[in-house]
Amino acid sequence: MPPSSSKLSDKSDTSSARTGSTWLRWLLRITLWMAGLATAAAVGLALIIAVALSVAYPNLPDISDLADYRPKLPLRIYSAEGALLGEFGEERRNLTPIEDIPKVMKDAVLAIEDARFFQHGGVDYKGVVRAGLANLGRVKSQGASTITMQVARNVYLSSEKTFTRKIYEILLTFKLEHLLTKDQILEIYMNQIFLGNRAYGFAAASEAYFGKPLKSLSIAEAAMLAGLPKAPSAYNPISNPKRARVRQQYIIERMEENGFITAQQAAEAKKEELKIRTGPDNTRVHAEYVAEMARQLIFTQYGNEAYTRGLNVYTTLNAAEQEAAYNALRRGIMDYERRQQYRGPEKFVALPSTPQEVEEAIDDTLANHPDNGDVLSAVVLEATPRKILAARANGDTLEITGDGLKPAQSGLSDKAPPNIKIRRGAVIRVVKTPKGPWEITQLPEVEGAFVALDPRNGSIRALVGGFDFDKNKFNHAAQAWRQPGSSFKPFIYSAALEKGFTPATVINDAPLFFDAGVTGGQPWEPKNYDGKYDGPMSMRTGLAKSKNMISIRILQAVGPKTAQEWVGRFGFDPEKHPAYLTMALGAGSVTPLQMAAAYSVFANGGYRVNPWLITKVTDHKGRVISETTPPVTSEQPRAIEARNAFLMNSLLQEVTRSGTAARAQATLKRPDLYGKTGTTNDSVDAWFAGYQPTIAAVTWIGYDTPRNLGSRETGGGLSLPVWISFMERALKGVPVMEPTVPAGVVNIGGEWFYDEYARSAGVSSVGLEDQRSTSPAVTPQAPPPSEERSRILDLFRN
């Protein structure tokens, strides 16, 4: 190579080396500079975080109270046996300790929400990286919030999405992890999280969606519930069943991936058909009016705290008797409805032509006409005088024929007016008959009430305040002031016993007329219900036949003012029973609950009892806050003498044996039944009040706006069957009770008298011990005492 070429090459190599060295120096300098900046940034960030922590950490909420977690818990009302009657509060929640939450439920939640919950310290860094990569790779979006972070957010922080709130969330997460155990954090989460349908926590959600306790959940059910925290509305199995099922299937896969379940269990869970509760809880005892009474009593004492403290209120109610009362009253009212004129369909809708559109129209329509217990709603598809085809909201098609059409025959007539005519698109009501076929019916306009007390202490054993609480929340049992009619007569008779009358006293059943000079107003000519007059009869027969003229003559002799004062002994307000002769026919005002308490005086031997409902109140952990001890009968104030109660029992027993309520003993096949029917003027109110020594019960039926029930409707025909139906259940297994004869009473010739009247009749009580008996009185034979004879003459003359 030529020398010149060699020199040029050496110079080139030297220049390249110098250039490379320069670039290396600059690269090193830049690297060192960047490292310095990064270090400075890191130090600066650390200083900022330190300052932020020093400022923010002291401002974090105090979480020490979470160690004794107390969320908002609803007020719950229970029967004496512990059956749930009602629940009140914005948040439906069953606080469940972590050890009582089944493993399958915890596994399902951990699988979808935080599989590494027991490994991380509050923030799952691996989860954050994994979620970031997954989201960058545009695969299924994944979140990185741990359960601890969710607890921090849900319990203490707002829902706003800001950088500051996120910092507080992370700080609070570390604080929670430091002060609480993992089990405590998981317990709070499982009880606090909102899961839709007013349910907070998985125990409440299990009841709300499946109608079963948490411990009974299957893998498939647990997976369905575990899908709710992310979006309670979007994954709600009631409103969005398809989306809920897709998420459930994914959660089952996650449970398998994390080793919580086997492949076989996962396959079986995916195939399981779930039974989602979509309607009201039909398993709960129907005691809505009682639950509302209890709620009002507790609210009066505890205020708004009643709905958040988790109070459990136990009542005196017997669950089985309450159901019997509810069913008996509804059946009695619906039996009455069958005898009424058909008022027509509730609504008419135009049904489309395509099947799918028809289904949608029916669903929309019946959503505004929900079922009322066993009285179901349906939309007519076809209607002829001989057959009706109607569709239910669940897709079922019902066929109504034969006798099932009779209650609405007027609506099937060709001449039926448009508002009555049953045709395609009509919204009707149907009910299943005892024999099986469907029958058309209508929601009743008439109302009713039923109440049963234990006459020995006044505890309420059953109470139904109306046909349906959702339809009419007015509690007729406790709030409806109505005329009692003839069911009030026994209290007038009781007063008469203290004025010298006996069951054998003979009184004339003859017409009466009172002119304006006597009444001070309009002339009054009272009549017996049947319009017939049977002449002279004993007081016993007069009550058994419910003769109005007999009661009026008795009140004339006793004196209206004296009787007014006397009825006050039974708990009645004398001012609501003016001292006029109309009081003999029950023209005053009473409530069914008041009547039950008043008849209890006869049932328990003369003691006045006050109705009461709540036996015990506990907190959510079962600790007793207050408790009521049942009163002892003998410690109650005495209203009437024992002998007065005994004679009234004898008279009222005759009513159920041979009088207007003879159906009672004939049906129930027992003699220890006592009571009185009541029908007010123009058949506006129908009553039956009666008792057995262990239970006193009253039935009332009438319209809220008083009007005639029907010319043939009476207390014996309307209300007595309800009472009998209830007593069939309440007295099942209860032995027949024979009354004990009190001191001061003697039996002469089959009739009972006070001792002093027997002596005036020439019979000494001392020599009559062998004649005392507990058998029911029969036709009176003894002559009336001498001091009564002038009174009898007056009664005959009147």
Side-chain angles (χ1 to χ4, degrees):
M1 177 179 297
S4 58
S5 297
S6 175
K7 289 179 180 179
L8 288 172
S9 176
D10 289 342
K11 287 180 180 180
S12 176
D13 290 343
T14 303
S15 176
S16 298
R18 287 176 179 175
T19 302
S21 176
T22 301
W23 277 108
L24 286 173
R25 285 196 301 272
W26 275 105
L27 182 62
L28 179 62
R29 287 176 183 178
I30 291 172
T31 302
L32 291 173
W33 184 65
M34 292 295 291
L37 285 177
T39 302
V43 171
L45 181 62
L47 288 173
I48 293 173
I49 292 174
V51 172
L53 286 173
S54 64
V55 174
Y57 200 83
N59 294 324
L60 291 177
D62 180 14
I63 64 172
S64 58
D65 58 337
L66 278 185
D68 184 21
Y69 174 57
R70 294 183 180 181
K72 290 182 180 180
L73 297 174
L75 168 68
R76 291 189 174 93
I77 315 297
Y78 296 93
S79 71
E81 308 88 350
L84 183 62
L85 306 179
E87 192 174 40
F88 301 93
E90 293 181 5
E91 299 181 4
R92 182 187 297 165
R93 181 187 280 112
N94 296 324
L95 184 58
T96 309
I98 190 66
E99 59 269 19
D100 294 336
I101 298 175
K103 185 177 182 299
V104 66
M105 190 69 251
K106 289 185 282 190
D107 288 345
V109 169
L110 293 175
I112 190 62
E113 295 294 333
D114 193 353
R116 297 186 64 254
F117 173 71
F118 286 100
Q119 283 76 51
H120 63 66
V123 177
D124 186 5
Y125 302 105
K126 290 183 179 180
V128 171
V129 173
R130 185 178 63 250
L133 292 174
N135 295 337
L136 286 173
R138 296 186 179 181
V139 296
K140 190 175 181 69
S141 177
Q142 294 185 13
S145 287
T146 65
I147 282 178
T148 311
M149 294 170 74
Q150 291 184 56
V151 169
R153 181 166 62 245
N154 293 332
V155 176
Y156 289 110
L157 302 176
S158 68
S159 59
E160 62 176 347
K161 295 182 178 181
T162 63
F163 183 72
T164 302
R165 193 207 64 110
K166 194 65 179 179
I167 291 175
Y168 271 96
E169 180 182 311
I170 294 173
L171 293 176
L172 194 55
T173 295
F174 289 138
K175 192 173 184 179
L176 286 170
E177 288 278 347
H178 177 68
L179 294 178
L180 301 177
T181 67
K182 286 288 188 178
D183 277 346
Q184 286 177 309
I185 295 171
L186 187 58
E187 178 181 295
I188 294 168
Y189 177 82
M190 300 287 280
N191 283 282
Q192 180 71 20
I193 194 75
F194 175 62
L195 300 171
N197 206 24
R198 284 184 55 234
Y200 288 77
F202 288 93
S206 180
E207 293 285 353
Y209 293 108
F210 298 113
K212 60 169 63 176
L214 197 59
K215 63 182 180 181
S216 302
L217 290 180
S218 66
I219 294 173
E221 291 167 335
M224 181 68 79
L225 296 184
L228 289 166
K230 183 178 181 180
S233 177
Y235 299 115
N236 188 308
I238 295 175
S239 57
N240 290 300
K242 292 182 180 179
R243 294 185 67 181
R245 181 164 177 79
V246 170
R247 184 160 176 79
Q248 176 221 32
Q249 299 289 298
Y250 173 65
I251 292 173
I252 292 173
E253 292 172 3
R254 294 279 295 159
M255 292 177 74
E256 181 186 354
E257 290 172 10
N258 285 278
F260 294 139
I261 59 175
T262 66
Q264 181 179 350
Q265 288 176 313
E268 291 174 353
K270 285 186 174 183
K271 295 178 182 177
E272 183 178 332
E273 291 290 332
L274 302 187
K275 295 181 179 178
I276 306 295
R277 171 185 288 169
T278 57
D281 184 359
N282 294 323
T283 63
R284 183 176 292 183
V285 177
H286 288 286
E288 294 83 359
Y289 291 97
V290 175
E292 175 60 16
M293 289 174 68
R295 183 200 67 79
Q296 292 179 17
L297 291 170
I298 295 299
F299 179 79
T300 299
Q301 187 171 358
Y302 296 97
N304 287 325
E305 282 191 359
Y307 308 129
T308 59
R309 289 181 57 180
L311 298 178
N312 299 309
V313 181
Y314 293 87
T315 67
T316 58
L317 217 68
N318 180 288
E321 291 177 7
Q322 176 64 26
E323 277 299 289
Y326 172 83
N327 292 327
L329 182 63
R330 283 181 66 94
R331 192 181 308 116
I333 289 176
M334 291 309 296
D335 285 344
Y336 170 78
E337 267 308 318
R338 287 188 182 91
R339 300 192 292 272
Q340 306 312 303
Q341 184 74 21
Y342 186 61
R343 295 183 291 275
E346 294 179 18
K347 187 179 181 179
F348 296 95
V349 294
L351 294 181
S353 55
T354 65
Q356 185 174 354
E357 289 179 327
V358 168
E359 289 182 9
E360 293 175 356
I362 290 172
D363 289 344
D364 292 342
T365 300
L366 296 185
N368 297 318
H369 296 266
D371 294 342
N372 188 301
D374 56 352
V375 183
L376 311 180
S377 58
V379 176
V380 174
L381 300 176
E382 298 178 17
T384 69
R386 294 188 177 183
K387 184 176 72 173
I388 290 177
L389 288 180
R392 296 267 296 126
N394 60 7
D396 291 347
T397 300
L398 313 178
E399 183 177 298
I400 310 169
T401 58
D403 291 341
L405 298 173
K406 285 184 178 180
Q409 201 63 51
S410 59
L412 294 169
S413 170
D414 292 335
K415 298 180 180 180
N419 63 318
I420 303 295
K421 182 73 173 177
I422 299 175
R423 57 184 182 274
R424 179 177 169 82
V427 179
I428 62 171
R429 294 283 169 170
V430 295
V431 67
K432 205 72 173 287
T433 63
K435 295 181 180 179
W438 291 100
E439 180 180 83
I440 191 169
T441 186
Q442 56 191 344
L443 283 176
E445 292 182 346
V446 74
E447 273 293 354
F450 184 92
V451 59
L453 305 180
D454 186 331
R456 297 163 294 189
N457 56 36
S459 60
I460 298 175
R461 288 172 56 171
L463 185 146
V464 186
F467 179 79
D468 180 71
F469 182 77
D470 291 331
K471 175 174 170 276
N472 188 347
K473 292 178 172 55
F474 183 74
N475 189 340
H476 299 84
Q479 298 173 302
W481 292 91
R482 308 293 293 224
Q483 289 188 346
S486 296
S487 62
F488 195 76
K489 289 177 181 177
F491 306 107
I492 305 300
Y493 278 57
S494 172
L497 293 177
E498 300 303 308
K499 292 295 182 178
F501 282 74
T502 76
T505 301
V506 178
I507 306 162
N508 192 17
D509 176 33
L512 286 167
F513 176 79
F514 302 93
D515 59 29
V518 174
T519 63
Q522 295 294 321
W524 183 42
E525 187 177 7
K527 299 181 183 299
N528 288 325
Y529 172 77
D530 58 7
K532 299 177 182 178
Y533 304 94
D534 296 334
M537 64 179 63
S538 68
M539 193 166 82
R540 174 181 294 278
T541 303
L543 185 62
K545 292 185 175 183
S546 197
K547 290 290 188 177
N548 290 339
M549 302 305 108
I550 301 296
S551 297
I552 293 171
R553 283 191 163 92
I554 289 175
L555 183 56
Q556 276 185 302
V558 170
K561 189 64 178 177
T562 300
Q564 182 190 41
E565 294 173 355
W566 184 262
V567 301
R569 293 169 174 256
F570 296 87
F572 296 116
D573 180 0
E575 292 184 0
K576 290 188 178 293
H577 301 274
Y580 302 116
L581 292 179
T582 51
M583 181 169 49
L585 307 184
S589 296
V590 301
T591 68
L593 183 59
Q594 200 177 48
M595 286 289 279
Y599 270 78
S600 293
V601 174
F602 297 139
N604 65 30
Y607 296 94
R608 180 173 169 178
V609 295
N610 292 314
W612 60 287
L613 179 63
I614 296 175
T615 61
K616 182 173 65 175
V617 179
T618 70
D619 64 13
H620 70 280
K621 291 187 176 180
R623 294 174 295 208
V624 177
I625 297 175
S626 64
E627 193 166 10
T628 301
T629 303
V632 179
T633 305
S634 59
E635 295 177 358
Q636 301 299 302
R638 181 168 280 285
I640 58 177
E641 290 186 7
R643 63 179 188 169
N644 186 298
F646 179 81
L647 261 65
M648 286 308 305
N649 285 343
S650 177
L651 290 172
L652 292 171
Q653 186 182 43
E654 189 69 32
V655 177
T656 64
R657 187 186 72 86
S658 66
T660 55
R663 184 176 174 181
Q665 289 194 35
T667 303
L668 298 175
K669 309 296 183 185
R670 54 189 302 154
D672 57 340
L673 302 175
Y674 315 82
K676 182 71 185 72
T677 55
T679 310
T680 60
N681 193 36
D682 292 329
S683 297
V684 169
D685 299 274
W687 294 80
F688 184 77
Y691 56 92
Q692 191 268 351
T694 63
I695 188 164
V698 173
T699 308
W700 166 83
I701 292 177
Y703 288 98
D704 278 338
T705 301
R707 73 176 198 245
N708 192 299
L709 288 164
S711 59
R712 296 184 179 181
E713 304 294 352
T714 65
L718 268 179
S719 295
L720 177 60
V722 175
W723 188 90
I724 291 174
S725 178
F726 169 79
M727 284 295 189
E728 282 180 328
R729 173 61 185 85
L731 296 179
K732 191 174 183 179
V734 177
V736 173
M737 298 183 68
E738 296 287 346
T740 301
V741 182
V745 175
V746 63
N747 188 283
I748 300 176
E751 186 57 276
W752 296 101
F753 298 89
Y754 284 179
D755 267 352
E756 58 267 34
Y757 301 149
R759 284 196 296 273
S760 68
V763 182
S764 170
S765 62
V766 177
L768 291 171
E769 292 178 3
D770 60 332
Q771 297 182 46
R772 297 181 186 278
S773 168
T774 59
S775 59
V778 293
T779 306
Q781 300 293 330
S786 56
E787 66 183 66
E788 288 187 43
R789 292 181 183 175
S790 61
R791 180 178 292 108
I792 293 170
L793 292 174
D794 288 340
L795 291 172
F796 267 97
R797 282 194 286 273
N798 291 336

